[in-house]
Amino acid sequence: MERRLAAILAADVVGYSKLMGEDQTGTLTALRQFRHELMTSAIDDHRGQLVKNLGDGWLIEFPSASDGIACAFEVQKALAGHSVIKLRIGIHVGDVTFVDE
């Protein structure tokens, strides 16, 4: 078991169930486009490591809080005014235990 200090960014799409109920195809298309064109590069640019993708949400590890905040800011700025995707983002900093199974 390895323990280390990390910043964990948790993000999810606001109103995802409602969006899916109103327009499943449009929501999935917008989410896929967002993931491929913005989220993946923002994570890489700020030294992040995708821990888990939950469909409409993500858990991402960063080596520092400032990297996580910079990533969140970049993503939120790029999404300003987006017609479908709005994210709720939180960051937690603390010891994380990593277990290889």
Side-chain angles (χ1 to χ4, degrees), residues 2 8 16 26 42 46 83 88:
E2 176 189 353
I8 302 296
Y16 181 72
H46 298 285
S83 62
R88 181 177 21 236

Side-chain angles (χ1 to χ4, degrees), residues 45-61:
D45 290 349
H46 298 285
R47 304 183 306 148
Q49 171 85 28
L50 182 64
V51 175
K52 190 171 190 176
N53 181 350
L54 308 166
D56 74 319
W58 302 264
L59 289 175
I60 305 158
E61 176 204 358

